[in-house]
Amino acid sequence: MRKILLNEYGTVDVLHEIKEPVPTPGKGEIQIKLVATSVNDTDILIRQNGPFPTMPKELRPILPHMLGVDFSGIITAVGEGVSKYHVGDHVIGLTMSGTYAEYLILDENSLLAKVPSDLDLVPLGGLYVTAATAWAAIVSNGKVESGQKVLIHGAAGGVGSMAAQLAKHFGASVIGTAGSYSKEYLVELGVDEVIDYRSQDFTKLVSNVDLVVNITGPTTLEQSYQVVKKGGRLTSTNGVPDKEKAAKMGIEASYTMGMISPEDLTSIIRLYSEGILKLNITKKYRFTLDSIKQAHLDFEKGPNQGKRIIEFDKNE
């Protein structure tokens, strides 16, 4: 099978391809033939500079490292004692050991979930990270309630668009910051008000927000405290909030990593299956070294309105 690894950090040229035998599952393990994976912020950041400051020590990559975190695939073999899954099951999942390989071996208790076999697995290769992060920000940490006002920074991106849809599903009014080119897209998702971050100052347009979700960086995070109402919440996926500062202002602040329960993941899959959650695919790329390099370059250049999917060849 083919794998794409990096032995050092830097430009896309640090990526290289190797070939290995298809691995065999051991006791309690499953073999998954990948159908799709996606490009995420973490892939770009790690490839460029290695582990980032907020990354827990146990999750920090060791070179040589394989990028990729979320995936979709079909179980092709199971090891002794496996009871949760069977050959032929369609699954989505997340792994910090990398997804740039045609086959993965994972413990059956990994972050996995079955999905209905009639769902297209290609877009599902980009569902887990965006949906799980958005769920954690809006539901688990944000504790959104019907009738609340929610401000989402970076609302047109993969996580942001999922967060907007979830907030609307749970009955909130949603304000999103994004580029002007994304306004029509966000209105289609149900966003009530779109603020162009390039030409408008959200701090002059928004106040008394119940929940702010920051996906864009530390500068926007720092400016967001002032627009949250007392008793409100601020959660950030990009930049760690100052909890002491938040407490002095009478608000709650949390850093969101996207860790969710199996029950939450089941809810996400149900909402996706019912068409309530939609995943926007920006572009699909083949699983080749050159194509993945291009996917990284395109991601770096942006804009990233939705997800960039890496699709594996069906016959390999």
Side-chain angles (χ1 to χ4, degrees), residues 7-76:
N7 287 326
E8 58 182 320
Y9 305 119
T11 69
V12 293
D13 291 328
V14 302
L15 296 169
H16 68 281
E17 182 178 305
I18 65 169
K19 290 188 177 181
E20 291 183 350
V22 176
T24 302
K27 185 175 181 180
E29 294 180 332
I30 56 176
Q31 179 194 78
I32 304 169
K33 177 176 170 52
L34 294 199
V35 171
T37 183
S38 73
V39 182
N40 293 289
D41 284 313
T42 53
D43 303 316
I44 306 301
L45 292 170
I46 289 173
R47 193 212 73 225
Q48 290 175 332
N49 303 306
F52 40 93
T54 57
M55 181 174 281
K57 186 178 295 185
E58 64 273 14
L59 298 181
R60 293 179 175 235
I62 299 173
L63 296 174
H65 178 67
M66 182 166 65
L67 295 170
V69 287
D70 53 355
F71 65 89
S72 63
I74 300 172
I75 294 179
T76 44

Side-chain angles (χ1 to χ4, degrees), residues 1-3 16 18 65 113 136 138 182 189-190 193 203 228-229 241 249 251 268 272 284 297-298 316:
M1 72 168 186
R2 292 180 295 129
K3 293 175 67 173
H16 68 281
I18 65 169
H65 178 67
I138 293 292
S182 296
L189 290 181
E193 181 183 351
T203 64
V228 183
K229 67 189 293 186
M249 300 179 72
I251 64 177
I268 289 169
Y272 180 86
K284 297 176 184 177
L297 292 172
D298 291 347
E316 296 184 1

Side-chain angles (χ1 to χ4, degrees), residues 2 4 71 165 192 194:
R2 292 180 295 129
I4 293 175
F71 65 89
Q165 292 177 76
D192 300 282
V194 180

